[in-house]
Amino acid sequence: MTIDTKQKRTAWWKEAIVYQIWPKSFFSGNGSPTGDIKGIISKLDYIKQLGANTIWLSPHYSSPMIDEGYDISDYENVNPMFGTVADAEQLIKECHDRGMRIIFDLVINHTSDQHKWFQESRSSKTNPKRDWFIWRPARYVDGKRMPPTNWLSCFNQSAWEWDEKTEEYYLHLFAIEQPDINWRNDECKKALLESSMEFWLSRGLDGFRVDTVNLYSKPEQFEDAPVTVPDTYLQPAFDQFCNGPEMHNYLREMGDILEKYDAMTVGELGNTPDVKEVLKYVGFSRNELSMVFQFETMNLGRSQVDWYIQEPWSVADLAKTTEMMQTALTDSGRDGWQTSFLENHDQGRSVSRFGNDSPEHRTTSAKMLSLLVSMASGTMYVYQGQELAMTNVPASWDMKEYLDIGSINYLKQVKDANKGEADMERAKAALRVLARDHARTPVQWTDGPNAGFTAENVKPWMRINDNFKEINAAQQLQDKDSVYHFWQKAIALRVQHPDLFVHGKFSLLLDYKGADKDSKVLAFAKDVRTETEVTPKRSVVLLNLSDAEQPIEVTGLESGKVALSTHHQSTDPVAPLSPYEGRVLFL
């Protein structure tokens, strides 16, 4: 395959409708316990039929799978459980043959400890690749050996691991088996970008979702994080390792590579609340990232102290967060771009978190939430199974069914703190809502054995959600009133009116900071930004996030036309909203 590397950089990705695939749990084409690339190819028509025009494939590279593929041992190879490089090349071709694009995950803050580069680095202090990773000597307190800093890793353990052979610590912001790369070493950086980016772009790839995109630039001097969590030595250290001084230089080097292929990027940008800082990452003129995922909406109901613990949130909180996400990067002449999403591989299922997953309200609330995603401006993302209203796993499941390293380490941390059974039960309750495991159960394709995910006589790698007989693709494809078909309609409306729903200007229609702070309805308008002859020029979206009927509190809608509603009988634009009803009006 010959790729033109002199293309002009465009913004094709603004109107992309991206469907994320978690390959291990999508579909097994060969009847094994896990999904695979051939299985993905066999379902591409299903995805295109939904209305998606771009695939995001989560890590499929060679990996020991300590962190489900985010620990890569060879960027230029494919995990045998998923297939081969030839299979990946065929997947790229099959997407392009259907007029679709495809992006891969780009995981370059760290490698696996099984990567040949790290194996060399840890072999001796004099190895040429020693400086390709971040090594530091121990410090001693009252004669006791201690890590270089008190940093807590993102997986609830020390961010430093002692290496007996060379008697130094190496940095790992995630699992022990995921050593951080030293981007200050130019030779390492060059090899990394060639292996992880150029190798696949030259084979026709259309871009990347960039993992942990603001962590590459580490401080010159490693210092302790301030104590914000009492009674424990290890402390959250995001301010120490996020958004370091060389981040934008590194991203511009990556941007130069991407520009040659007119490739897109979407960066995972956590712990960056300052809009001015975010704009440095996504301003089109800067040629760094196309867009980023920010997580203010995903963090609703998460404790600021403990990521897993739930706290109350209101529709007003959701409204204010949505407004910030929709306006901060594009209004006032800014040249940034935003994303619209409610699920990914790291989040609990949206219908369980933001809707109502009871049998009575699951279908309706899932349809209502689809309107929040598809009518919002920016590039739209759908996660596998979201289009079916797949839910969190039942509360009855034993914690042994939770396989994610983050869940396992969190329970261990609580147990080791020895604070009592009440704290352990609270931790379990938190995981039942917010654990990453909920998004990783196999996709429910049929109501037959193993939900059609793999062969009947094979045990899937992870337990299938118990409700697969009620929630599965086969039934929904036959039912024109299903969640799948409603997503299809919502996407079609978005595609038909990109000036409103992709590029439109967002504004809230109620005073969520004052008189309407207790409203159960999220009401917003979308207005065309330009003066071209576009009809309609304004849309109003009304979302009832409660299980009770709600009055329309917005004035001036009497002349509106109902363009789409979760309830067929809703033709009156100002009729009260049924429980969990979503309604789109054209004015």
Side-chain angles (χ1 to χ4, degrees):
M1 184 182 298
T2 301
I3 303 300
D4 179 7
T5 58
K6 296 181 180 180
Q7 301 181 69
K8 181 180 178 181
R9 185 165 65 111
T10 67
W12 60 265
W13 32 266
K14 288 188 175 183
E15 296 185 9
I17 296 166
V18 186
Y19 187 96
Q20 182 191 354
I21 292 175
W22 181 258
K24 194 172 182 180
S25 293
F26 187 66
F27 180 65
S28 176
N30 60 15
S32 69
T34 67
D36 50 54
I37 294 174
K38 289 183 177 179
I40 296 168
I41 293 172
S42 72
K43 298 294 186 181
L44 286 179
D45 291 334
Y46 164 91
I47 297 169
K48 184 174 182 180
Q49 180 182 338
L50 180 68
N53 56 24
T54 305
I55 301 294
W56 157 20
L57 181 61
S58 292
H60 61 288
Y61 310 98
S62 294
S63 168
M65 302 295 281
I66 298 298
D67 184 24
E68 297 298 353
Y70 283 93
D71 48 321
I72 296 171
S73 56
D74 186 350
Y75 292 101
E76 300 175 20
N77 215 331
V78 172
N79 192 320
M81 76 168 62
F82 300 139
T84 65
V85 170
D87 291 332
E89 292 174 330
Q90 184 65 25
L91 175 60
I92 294 171
K93 180 180 183 301
E94 295 282 351
C95 286
H96 291 169
D97 287 348
R98 289 168 172 80
M100 303 171 73
R101 301 184 191 250
I102 180 168
I103 66 173
F104 289 171
D105 244 284
L106 184 64
V107 187
I108 48 179
N109 173 70
H110 48 263
T111 68
S112 164
D113 63 355
Q114 300 304 305
H115 196 291
K116 62 184 179 182
W117 296 342
F118 186 71
Q119 292 288 303
E120 292 183 51
S121 182
R122 79 186 310 177
S123 65
S124 76
K125 291 181 180 178
T126 59
N127 187 277
K129 288 188 174 59
R130 181 67 171 185
D131 192 44
W132 285 34
F133 295 84
I134 299 171
W135 296 91
R136 291 293 184 273
R139 64 176 173 178
Y140 289 85
V141 178
D142 297 328
K144 181 181 178 182
R145 188 190 77 222
M146 300 287 286
T149 69
N150 67 346
W151 293 5
L152 178 71
S153 82
C154 298
F155 286 162
N156 300 292
Q157 56 198 157
S158 173
W160 297 93
E161 178 68 9
W162 178 250
D163 180 65
E164 288 286 353
K165 182 175 181 178
T166 58
E167 296 187 325
E168 281 191 328
Y169 284 91
Y170 65 86
L171 181 70
H172 62 92
L173 295 181
F174 294 89
I176 291 171
E177 297 86 356
Q178 292 170 297
D180 279 47
I181 293 165
N182 181 16
W183 278 68
R184 291 181 181 274
N185 184 302
D186 289 336
E187 183 184 4
C188 172
K189 180 176 58 178
K190 182 176 184 293
L192 175 67
L193 298 182
E194 287 179 353
S195 185
S196 64
M197 293 179 67
E198 295 265 19
F199 180 86
W200 291 106
L201 289 169
S202 67
R203 284 163 171 75
L205 193 69
D206 297 296
F208 298 98
R209 176 268 187 182
V210 190
D211 189 58
T212 61
V213 75
N214 56 346
L215 303 187
Y216 311 153
S217 175
K218 305 302 193 296
E220 289 190 38
Q221 302 297 325
F222 288 88
E223 299 178 350
D224 276 351
V227 176
T228 56
V229 181
D231 304 321
T232 181
Y233 172 71
L234 296 176
Q235 297 292 318
F238 297 112
D239 288 344
Q240 275 68 33
F241 55 70
C242 288
N243 305 307
E246 296 298 320
M247 267 311 318
H248 298 289
N249 290 331
Y250 297 154
L251 289 175
R252 278 191 287 273
E253 291 182 56
M254 293 168 59
D256 290 341
I257 296 172
L258 294 159
E259 186 174 14
K260 294 190 298 182
Y261 300 89
D262 192 24
M264 67 159 274
T265 48
V266 52
E268 181 189 29
L269 189 71
N271 303 290
T272 311
D274 188 336
V275 172
K276 292 181 180 178
E277 291 301 312
V278 178
L279 279 165
K280 293 178 182 178
Y281 285 91
V282 298
F284 189 80
S285 59
R286 295 177 64 89
N287 196 24
E288 294 187 21
L289 298 170
S290 308
M291 67 196 100
V292 294
F293 291 127
Q294 289 180 277
F295 297 97
E296 278 74 8
T297 302
M298 295 296 96
N299 289 338
L300 284 177
R302 289 190 186 274
S303 166
Q304 295 297 307
V305 176
D306 187 328
W307 194 71
Y308 284 109
I309 297 300
Q310 286 183 278
E311 293 179 344
W313 62 273
S314 66
V315 174
D317 294 329
L318 176 61
K320 288 179 282 189
T321 298
T322 304
E323 179 184 42
M324 187 279 294
M325 299 276 281
Q326 283 286 288
T327 62
L329 302 180
T330 53
D331 286 5
S332 303
R334 295 164 175 167
D335 70 341
W337 192 248
Q338 62 269 358
T339 53
S340 177
F341 70 102
L342 279 180
E343 287 192 23
N344 63 33
H345 60 289
D346 284 337
Q347 308 294 336
R349 289 291 186 174
S350 59
V351 71
S352 299
R353 289 191 61 193
F354 304 110
N356 185 327
D357 63 8
S358 68
E360 180 183 2
H361 296 297
R362 180 184 63 234
T363 295
T364 301
S365 65
K367 292 178 180 179
M368 179 270 298
L369 290 172
S370 77
L371 293 179
L372 177 56
V373 177
S374 54
M375 301 299 110
S377 295
T379 302
M380 173 181 160
Y381 291 80
V382 184
Y383 180 70
Q384 63 181 42
Q386 185 179 3
E387 78 281 6
L388 304 174
M390 284 181 60
T391 67
N392 281 1
V393 304
S396 59
W397 278 22
D398 190 277
M399 286 292 130
K400 292 179 181 178
E401 303 285 358
Y402 288 65
L403 306 180
D404 174 51
I405 188 172
S407 302
I408 293 168
N409 284 352
Y410 178 63
L411 289 176
K412 182 178 185 301
Q413 180 190 23
V414 174
K415 181 179 180 181
D416 291 347
N418 199 28
K419 292 182 178 180
E421 189 61 29
D423 276 352
M424 180 57 75
E425 288 305 312
R426 186 177 69 159
K428 291 179 180 178
L431 289 177
R432 291 186 181 108
V433 178
L434 299 174
R436 303 196 301 180
D437 302 81
H438 299 296
R440 302 179 180 189
T441 59
V443 172
Q444 296 156 209
W445 293 103
T446 72
D447 62 0
N450 288 327
F453 166 71
T454 188
E456 179 178 351
N457 60 345
V458 172
K459 182 179 179 181
W461 78 275
M462 185 179 184
R463 180 174 170 179
I464 292 168
N465 198 317
D466 300 348
N467 59 16
F468 71 93
K469 288 188 177 297
E470 293 78 43
I471 304 173
N472 62 76
Q475 290 179 356
Q476 293 200 27
L477 288 171
Q478 295 299 316
D479 178 7
K480 295 302 180 182
D481 197 34
S482 68
V483 176
Y484 176 93
H485 282 291
F486 192 83
W487 269 99
Q488 197 177 52
K489 293 174 185 176
I491 291 172
L493 188 65
R494 177 185 180 86
V495 171
Q496 187 179 357
H497 301 284
D499 294 284
L500 270 178
F501 299 123
V502 179
H503 304 278
K505 183 177 176 63
F506 175 99
S507 59
L508 292 175
L509 295 176
L510 295 175
D511 179 15
Y512 294 100
K513 296 179 181 179
D516 303 308
K517 61 182 176 62
D518 296 323
S519 176
K520 302 299 183 184
V521 176
L522 175 55
F524 61 89
K526 296 295 294 298
D527 290 282
V528 173
R529 292 178 185 268
T530 62
E531 295 300 321
T532 56
E533 289 299 317
V534 177
T535 303
K537 287 183 166 54
R538 166 167 268 219
S539 173
V540 168
V541 181
L542 305 168
L543 307 175
N544 179 5
L545 283 101
S546 76
D547 60 1
E549 183 178 273
Q550 299 294 329
I552 302 295
E553 301 161 309
V554 181
T555 61
L557 303 182
E558 292 79 4
S559 62
K561 176 186 176 182
V562 178
L564 184 61
S565 172
T566 54
H567 290 61
H568 295 305
Q569 69 272 21
S570 291
T571 57
D572 181 353
V574 295
L577 292 165
S578 299
Y580 294 107
E581 180 178 356
R583 191 181 299 167
V584 181
L585 310 179
F586 284 154
L587 301 182

